[in-house]
Amino acid sequence: MGCCVTDERVERRLAAVLAADVAGYSRLMGADEEDTLARLKALRRSLVDPAIAAHRGRIVKTTGDGMLVEFASAVDAARAAVEVQRSMAGQNAAVPPDNRIEFRIGIHVGDIIIDDNDIFGDGVNIAARLEGIAEPGGICISDDAHRQISGKVDTAFDDMGPQTLKNIAEPTRVWRVRLGDGANPAVESTLPLKQPLALPDEPSIAVPTVSEHERRSRAGLFR
């Protein structure tokens, strides 16, 4: 007897995929498990989950320190990510650097496979690899996502060029979201501003300088 072959069709669709995790999660857990878990839950409840819902994202699954989110639009995914990271920067402003909970986020637009409410495929894999190269508190997006987002999100981008991502066959051009260009002062550049020159208290008169040649000419030394 021959083996039956299923004719069940695989469901696919194009989606924007956001992958996020907590930078230094193992270190934070090693220092204080209960405090880390409590703070992470509170941040998700107050900042992360509401931002995702506000931009029509669907949380596909969560792990101890991360999550996978599907959006119908790359613009929605980027806006949610920027909102989360700027809010997190504000929350972390008064927290010692070694104790901060900071997310790394990657976003890609691609074809995904849907199976039992989970998602698979290169669209997911690339988003996860982009998250892995993002800085703590940062966002990295693929070139495919950048083409759809550019000009529609209140931020600028830095071109990181082609990047070799783990287990991805071809190099992927990557863009870094420049969060400091937003309106949130908590993530603006901390470089010192150039101070204006101090003016003297007493009135002063500007006296033009005269070259040695001109001074001698005026004295009649050069005729």
Side-chain angles (χ1 to χ4, degrees):
M1 295 180 63
C3 179
C4 296
V5 178
T6 179
D7 60 355
E8 182 179 355
R9 298 186 63 182
V10 174
E11 182 183 354
R12 292 179 177 270
R13 62 171 170 253
L14 189 67
V17 180
L18 181 154
D21 77 343
V22 176
Y25 181 72
S26 298
R27 175 181 55 79
L28 291 168
M29 288 292 285
D32 192 328
E33 289 182 347
E34 294 183 3
D35 176 68
T36 299
L37 287 174
R39 289 193 295 133
L40 183 55
K41 286 182 179 179
L43 288 168
R44 280 203 52 191
R45 185 169 55 250
S46 63
L47 296 179
V48 181
D49 291 9
I52 291 170
H55 295 283
R56 298 173 289 278
R58 179 178 77 91
I59 298 176
V60 177
K61 61 184 174 184
T62 61
T63 59
D65 67 327
M67 63 175 57
L68 189 64
V69 188
E70 178 191 355
F71 292 84
S73 161
V75 173
D76 283 340
R79 286 175 176 167
V82 168
E83 182 177 331
V84 166
Q85 296 294 47
R86 288 180 175 165
S87 297
M88 288 295 297
Q91 290 284 323
N92 281 326
V95 179
D98 288 344
N99 201 35
R100 291 174 182 171
I101 291 179
E102 296 178 300
F103 290 104
R104 302 180 301 173
I105 295 178
I107 298 173
H108 176 59
V109 176
D111 191 60
I112 61 172
I113 299 173
I114 298 91
D115 184 36
D116 292 333
N117 292 320
D118 203 349
I119 58 176
F120 304 91
D122 277 350
V124 176
N125 297 338
I126 293 175
R129 298 310 180 194
L130 291 170
E131 165 233 288
I133 65 172
E135 298 174 348
I139 305 166
C140 283
I141 66 174
S142 67
D143 197 45
D144 291 332
H146 178 261
R147 280 194 293 270
Q148 298 190 30
I149 293 167
S150 183
K152 300 174 185 176
V153 179
D154 182 24
T155 187
F157 305 87
D158 293 322
D159 188 352
M160 298 173 64
Q163 299 289 316
T164 301
L165 305 178
K166 184 178 179 181
N167 296 332
I168 304 300
E170 298 294 330
T172 302
R173 188 178 181 185
V174 179
W175 298 78
R176 180 191 293 113
V177 178
R178 198 185 302 165
L179 292 165
D181 287 355
N184 190 331
V187 293
E188 293 289 351
S189 172
T190 57
L191 292 175
L193 298 177
K194 187 178 290 183
Q195 298 297 323
L197 294 175
L199 296 177
D201 293 333
E202 298 296 329
S204 58
I205 299 174
V207 179
T209 60
V210 179
S211 68
E212 180 67 15
H213 181 86
E214 186 176 356
R215 186 182 63 79
R216 293 186 179 186
S217 296
R218 291 179 181 178
L221 297 179
F222 290 87
R223 297 184 182 275

